[in-house]
mmCIF file of all heavy atoms in Angstrom:
data_model
loop_
_atom_site.group_PDB
_atom_site.id
_atom_site.type_symbol
_atom_site.label_atom_id
_atom_site.label_comp_id
_atom_site.label_asym_id
_atom_site.label_seq_id
_atom_site.Cartn_x
_atom_site.Cartn_y
_atom_site.Cartn_z
ATOM 1 N N ALA A 95 -11.078 26.412 17.944
ATOM 2 C CA ALA A 95 -11.709 25.075 18.198
ATOM 3 C C ALA A 95 -13.205 25.153 17.964
ATOM 4 O O ALA A 95 -13.863 24.367 17.475
ATOM 5 C CB ALA A 95 -11.372 24.599 19.652
ATOM 6 N N PHE A 99 -15.283 22.914 15.370
ATOM 7 C CA PHE A 99 -16.325 22.036 15.843
ATOM 8 C C PHE A 99 -17.662 22.312 15.277
ATOM 9 O O PHE A 99 -18.462 21.406 14.955
ATOM 10 C CB PHE A 99 -16.444 22.016 17.333
ATOM 11 C CG PHE A 99 -15.205 21.340 18.080
ATOM 12 C CD1 PHE A 99 -15.004 21.276 19.463
ATOM 13 C CD2 PHE A 99 -14.250 20.531 17.347
ATOM 14 C CE1 PHE A 99 -14.018 20.602 20.077
ATOM 15 C CE2 PHE A 99 -13.136 20.017 17.959
ATOM 16 C CZ PHE A 99 -13.012 19.943 19.276
ATOM 17 N N ILE A 104 -19.579 18.985 15.637
ATOM 18 C CA ILE A 104 -19.197 18.231 16.789
ATOM 19 C C ILE A 104 -19.649 18.977 18.139
ATOM 20 O O ILE A 104 -19.175 20.048 18.352
ATOM 21 C CB ILE A 104 -17.652 18.116 16.888
ATOM 22 C CG1 ILE A 104 -17.055 17.421 15.572
ATOM 23 C CG2 ILE A 104 -17.191 17.395 18.127
ATOM 24 C CD1 ILE A 104 -15.566 17.357 15.435
ATOM 25 N N PRO A 105 -20.761 18.497 18.681
ATOM 26 C CA PRO A 105 -21.179 19.220 19.935
ATOM 27 C C PRO A 105 -20.082 19.069 21.042
ATOM 28 O O PRO A 105 -19.407 18.104 21.132
ATOM 29 C CB PRO A 105 -22.433 18.405 20.364
ATOM 30 C CG PRO A 105 -22.767 17.558 19.084
ATOM 31 C CD PRO A 105 -21.586 17.363 18.350
ATOM 32 N N ARG A 106 -20.043 20.159 21.787
ATOM 33 C CA ARG A 106 -19.063 20.273 22.883
ATOM 34 C C ARG A 106 -19.001 19.041 23.765
ATOM 35 O O ARG A 106 -17.962 18.497 24.195
ATOM 36 C CB ARG A 106 -19.381 21.449 23.684
ATOM 37 C CG ARG A 106 -18.222 22.232 24.319
ATOM 38 C CD ARG A 106 -18.655 23.370 25.094
ATOM 39 N NE ARG A 106 -18.121 23.330 26.394
ATOM 40 C CZ ARG A 106 -16.960 23.583 26.782
ATOM 41 N NH1 ARG A 106 -16.038 23.779 25.855
ATOM 42 N NH2 ARG A 106 -16.430 23.454 27.955
ATOM 43 N N GLU A 107 -20.194 18.570 24.015
ATOM 44 C CA GLU A 107 -20.253 17.356 24.990
ATOM 45 C C GLU A 107 -20.117 16.009 24.417
ATOM 46 O O GLU A 107 -20.122 15.039 25.150
ATOM 47 C CB GLU A 107 -21.529 17.491 25.753
ATOM 48 C CG GLU A 107 -22.869 17.377 24.954
ATOM 49 C CD GLU A 107 -23.206 18.568 24.106
ATOM 50 O OE1 GLU A 107 -22.518 19.680 24.310
ATOM 51 O OE2 GLU A 107 -24.119 18.524 23.340
ATOM 52 N N ASP A 108 -19.920 15.965 23.046
ATOM 53 C CA ASP A 108 -19.842 14.685 22.398
ATOM 54 C C ASP A 108 -18.352 14.288 22.320
ATOM 55 O O ASP A 108 -17.465 14.434 21.451
ATOM 56 C CB ASP A 108 -20.329 14.791 20.971
ATOM 57 C CG ASP A 108 -20.524 13.496 20.332
ATOM 58 O OD1 ASP A 108 -19.792 12.469 20.639
ATOM 59 O OD2 ASP A 108 -21.351 13.307 19.410
ATOM 60 N N LYS A 109 -18.042 13.529 23.535
ATOM 61 C CA LYS A 109 -16.620 13.185 23.622
ATOM 62 C C LYS A 109 -16.041 12.221 22.538
ATOM 63 O O LYS A 109 -14.814 12.300 22.128
ATOM 64 C CB LYS A 109 -16.448 12.339 24.959
ATOM 65 C CG LYS A 109 -16.464 13.239 26.126
ATOM 66 C CD LYS A 109 -16.078 12.622 27.440
ATOM 67 C CE LYS A 109 -16.003 13.591 28.578
ATOM 68 N NZ LYS A 109 -16.165 13.054 29.898
ATOM 69 N N GLU A 110 -16.977 11.347 21.986
ATOM 70 C CA GLU A 110 -16.524 10.437 21.000
ATOM 71 C C GLU A 110 -16.214 11.182 19.738
ATOM 72 O O GLU A 110 -15.046 10.949 19.079
ATOM 73 C CB GLU A 110 -17.686 9.455 20.734
ATOM 74 C CG GLU A 110 -17.127 8.040 20.109
ATOM 75 C CD GLU A 110 -18.156 7.078 19.971
ATOM 76 O OE1 GLU A 110 -19.055 6.990 20.926
ATOM 77 O OE2 GLU A 110 -18.377 6.567 18.892
ATOM 78 N N LYS A 111 -16.979 12.108 19.248
ATOM 79 C CA LYS A 111 -16.748 12.868 18.063
ATOM 80 C C LYS A 111 -15.482 13.705 18.201
ATOM 81 O O LYS A 111 -14.706 13.898 17.310
ATOM 82 C CB LYS A 111 -17.898 13.734 17.740
ATOM 83 C CG LYS A 111 -18.934 13.073 16.917
ATOM 84 C CD LYS A 111 -19.927 14.084 16.297
ATOM 85 C CE LYS A 111 -20.996 13.501 15.312
ATOM 86 N NZ LYS A 111 -21.851 14.596 14.803
ATOM 87 N N ARG A 112 -15.301 14.255 19.495
ATOM 88 C CA ARG A 112 -14.088 15.098 19.718
ATOM 89 C C ARG A 112 -12.909 14.193 19.596
ATOM 90 O O ARG A 112 -11.887 14.648 19.086
ATOM 91 C CB ARG A 112 -14.215 15.702 21.147
ATOM 92 C CG ARG A 112 -15.207 16.850 21.122
ATOM 93 C CD ARG A 112 -15.473 17.429 22.394
ATOM 94 N NE ARG A 112 -14.154 18.156 22.921
ATOM 95 C CZ ARG A 112 -14.254 19.219 23.650
ATOM 96 N NH1 ARG A 112 -15.440 19.943 23.829
ATOM 97 N NH2 ARG A 112 -13.205 19.854 24.010
ATOM 98 N N ALA A 113 -12.967 13.047 20.186
ATOM 99 C CA ALA A 113 -11.827 12.095 20.147
ATOM 100 C C ALA A 113 -11.390 11.764 18.739
ATOM 101 O O ALA A 113 -10.324 11.636 18.264
ATOM 102 C CB ALA A 113 -12.024 10.851 20.930
ATOM 103 N N LYS A 114 -12.497 11.587 17.848
ATOM 104 C CA LYS A 114 -12.283 11.149 16.491
ATOM 105 C C LYS A 114 -11.538 12.275 15.731
ATOM 106 O O LYS A 114 -10.752 12.123 14.885
ATOM 107 C CB LYS A 114 -13.609 10.830 15.813
ATOM 108 C CG LYS A 114 -14.097 9.438 16.211
ATOM 109 C CD LYS A 114 -13.365 8.373 15.458
ATOM 110 C CE LYS A 114 -13.546 7.051 16.057
ATOM 111 N NZ LYS A 114 -12.390 6.148 16.132
ATOM 112 N N TRP A 115 -12.129 13.592 16.061
ATOM 113 C CA TRP A 115 -11.490 14.775 15.492
ATOM 114 C C TRP A 115 -9.877 14.861 15.927
ATOM 115 O O TRP A 115 -9.053 15.121 14.996
ATOM 116 C CB TRP A 115 -12.214 16.030 15.846
ATOM 117 C CG TRP A 115 -11.530 17.202 15.361
ATOM 118 C CD1 TRP A 115 -10.847 18.171 16.049
ATOM 119 C CD2 TRP A 115 -11.466 17.563 13.891
ATOM 120 N NE1 TRP A 115 -10.368 19.119 15.195
ATOM 121 C CE2 TRP A 115 -10.650 18.871 13.895
ATOM 122 C CE3 TRP A 115 -11.950 17.142 12.782
ATOM 123 C CZ2 TRP A 115 -10.390 19.541 12.683
ATOM 124 C CZ3 TRP A 115 -11.657 17.841 11.518
ATOM 125 C CH2 TRP A 115 -10.950 18.980 11.472
ATOM 126 N N LEU A 116 -9.716 14.655 17.097
ATOM 127 C CA LEU A 116 -8.324 14.740 17.624
ATOM 128 C C LEU A 116 -7.424 13.735 16.798
ATOM 129 O O LEU A 116 -6.313 14.069 16.369
ATOM 130 C CB LEU A 116 -8.266 14.403 19.060
ATOM 131 C CG LEU A 116 -6.970 14.525 19.810
ATOM 132 C CD1 LEU A 116 -6.514 15.996 19.768
ATOM 133 C CD2 LEU A 116 -7.067 14.110 21.203
ATOM 134 N N GLU A 117 -7.922 12.423 16.668
ATOM 135 C CA GLU A 117 -7.241 11.361 15.983
ATOM 136 C C GLU A 117 -6.799 11.873 14.551
ATOM 137 O O GLU A 117 -5.768 11.669 14.045
ATOM 138 C CB GLU A 117 -8.129 10.256 15.719
ATOM 139 C CG GLU A 117 -7.970 9.206 16.740
ATOM 140 C CD GLU A 117 -8.794 7.976 16.424
ATOM 141 O OE1 GLU A 117 -9.133 7.784 15.164
ATOM 142 O OE2 GLU A 117 -9.045 7.104 17.275
ATOM 143 N N ARG A 118 -7.769 12.684 13.883
ATOM 144 C CA ARG A 118 -7.468 13.168 12.471
ATOM 145 C C ARG A 118 -6.228 13.942 12.425
ATOM 146 O O ARG A 118 -5.407 13.796 11.550
ATOM 147 C CB ARG A 118 -8.660 13.967 11.954
ATOM 148 C CG ARG A 118 -9.920 13.266 11.572
ATOM 149 C CD ARG A 118 -10.841 14.246 10.895
ATOM 150 N NE ARG A 118 -10.298 14.733 9.645
ATOM 151 C CZ ARG A 118 -10.339 14.200 8.544
ATOM 152 N NH1 ARG A 118 -10.787 12.935 8.396
ATOM 153 N NH2 ARG A 118 -9.815 14.771 7.453
#
Side-chain angles (χ1 to χ4, degrees):
F99 286 175
I104 303 174
R106 213 179 126 68
E107 60 286 355
D108 192 332
K109 284 193 177 154
E110 203 174 314
K111 272 191 171 179
R112 284 175 70 140
K114 285 282 163 218
W115 175 253
L116 186 65
E117 267 187 19
R118 286 186 62 80

